[in-house]
Amino acid sequence: MVKAVTADYRYYNELPERGDFYREVIAGFSQHPRRIPPKYFYDEEGSRLFESICEQPEYYPTRTEIALLERYAGEVGALVGSGCYLVEPGSGSCEKARLLLDALRPAAYVPMDISCEHLRAAAAGIAADYPWLDVHAVCADITREVSLSFIPEQAKPVMFYPGSSIGNFDPDDAVEFLACLAQIAGPGGGLLIGVDLKKDHAILHDAYNDASGVTAAFNLNLLQRVNRELQADFNIDAFEHFAAYNSVAGRVEMHLISTRKQTVNIDGHRFAFNAGDSIHTENSYKYTQDEFCVLAQQAGFASCAVWTDADRLFSLHFLRVR
Ligand SMILES: C[S@@+](CC[C@H](N)C(=O)[O-])C[C@H]1O[C@@H](n2cnc3c(N)ncnc32)[C@H](O)[C@@H]1O
């Protein structure tokens, strides 16, 4: 859990004042099926629920990736060298970065996240626990252009993108996003990225349908957020969490399914739902090791090292900009 600790770190807020939430929800609801981009899961409550998902016994990705980082931090350190700027888009609790800081001894750590209060608490915790480290926390939407002008020209940015968050992008968009990371890292710069592997569908199904219902609460919190922030009147009890692996597309899809015929009002816009109608809230693409290497290559990276666990559940790639 993130502790609220007061300590010294720099904070930059790059989110637009009014935000894009309203515009993107209304635009997403004019598509078929309706959709809301997954970045909107992460208000304060969503970030808290995500951390709880990571602790569920069915949710293997977090503990598997942590074990890989603990085991291979020294090898990553040898590839990266000391004194880099470690830049982490979608940093969440920053817990995984902690596993690298001693091995990498970066000059600065740059956590970036759309969930501002959660980011601030996590950055303050890092600054308190690593007094030798410069911490620059950037609240931003990483799918938009973000200025990191405080990074000195001669600095070596190394990107860190764990949690298989790359799986939330459709493959073409993933290549585009990876190319942006390559641009920040610059020629010869590095990217350490965690990527969930294709596997037995039952393991995937359970991971996104935990018995305690935390993933369901996380998914449904999106509608609560729309109610809170966009003056909507979703009846949360009239929607159900649905998550399943789509083997043709190679992704776990999450949806919210209307359990009855109903009309929802969002700030004056009315949307009719029949029983069974879906709001598509997230894709989590799964890749084989080779499939991901192809995407990374298309984005301008060369593969340097890949580590996986013995059960081949999860992969950790170190890539260099070609
Ligand atoms: C799946 S969680 C992963 C958190 C952490 N990196 C980990 O591996 O446990 C995704 C994180 O990315 C953040 N996030 C999602 N979309 C974002 C966006 N477009 N811009 C910035 N942060 C985003 C969320 O707030 C959340 O903290």
Side-chain angles (χ1 to χ4, degrees), residues 38-40 42 47 50 54 59 62 65 88-94 96 112-115 118 140-144 161-165 168-169 282:
K39 63 187 174 189
Y40 292 116
Y42 299 94
S47 295
F50 178 72
C54 294
Y59 196 74
T62 304
E65 187 177 35
E88 183 178 1
S91 48
S93 66
C94 302
K96 291 174 186 166
M112 302 167 70
D113 208 284
I114 200 166
S115 187
H118 196 67
D141 179 347
I142 57 171
T143 60
R144 308 258 187 248
Y161 197 47
S164 204
S165 295
N168 295 149
F169 294 89
E282 188 182 71

Side-chain angles (χ1 to χ4, degrees), residues 102-164:
D102 285 326
L104 266 59
R105 296 296 288 194
Y109 172 53
V110 185
M112 302 167 70
D113 208 284
I114 200 166
S115 187
C116 300
E117 290 315 309
H118 196 67
L119 168 72
R120 295 197 75 147
I126 295 277
D129 293 343
Y130 299 85
W132 49 266
L133 183 66
D134 262 353
V135 179
H136 300 260
V138 183
C139 185
D141 179 347
I142 57 171
T143 60
R144 308 258 187 248
E145 204 171 311
V146 183
S147 156
L148 298 175
S149 52
F150 57 84
I151 300 184
E153 279 219 350
Q154 72 281 9
K156 281 192 307 172
V158 170
M159 312 304 294
F160 179 42
Y161 197 47
S164 204

Side-chain angles (χ1 to χ4, degrees), residues 138-208:
V138 183
C139 185
D141 179 347
I142 57 171
T143 60
R144 308 258 187 248
E145 204 171 311
V146 183
S147 156
L148 298 175
S149 52
F150 57 84
I151 300 184
E153 279 219 350
Q154 72 281 9
K156 281 192 307 172
V158 170
M159 312 304 294
F160 179 42
Y161 197 47
S164 204
S165 295
I166 194 66
N168 295 149
F169 294 89
D170 286 337
D172 286 350
D173 295 337
V175 171
E176 207 175 299
F177 181 71
L178 290 170
C180 292
L181 300 188
Q183 203 173 6
I184 298 172
L191 165 64
L192 181 66
I193 182 166
V195 185
D196 200 8
L197 292 168
K198 284 192 165 138
K199 59 180 62 65
D200 182 346
H201 302 179
I203 297 176
L204 289 170
H205 185 271
D206 290 353
Y208 291 82

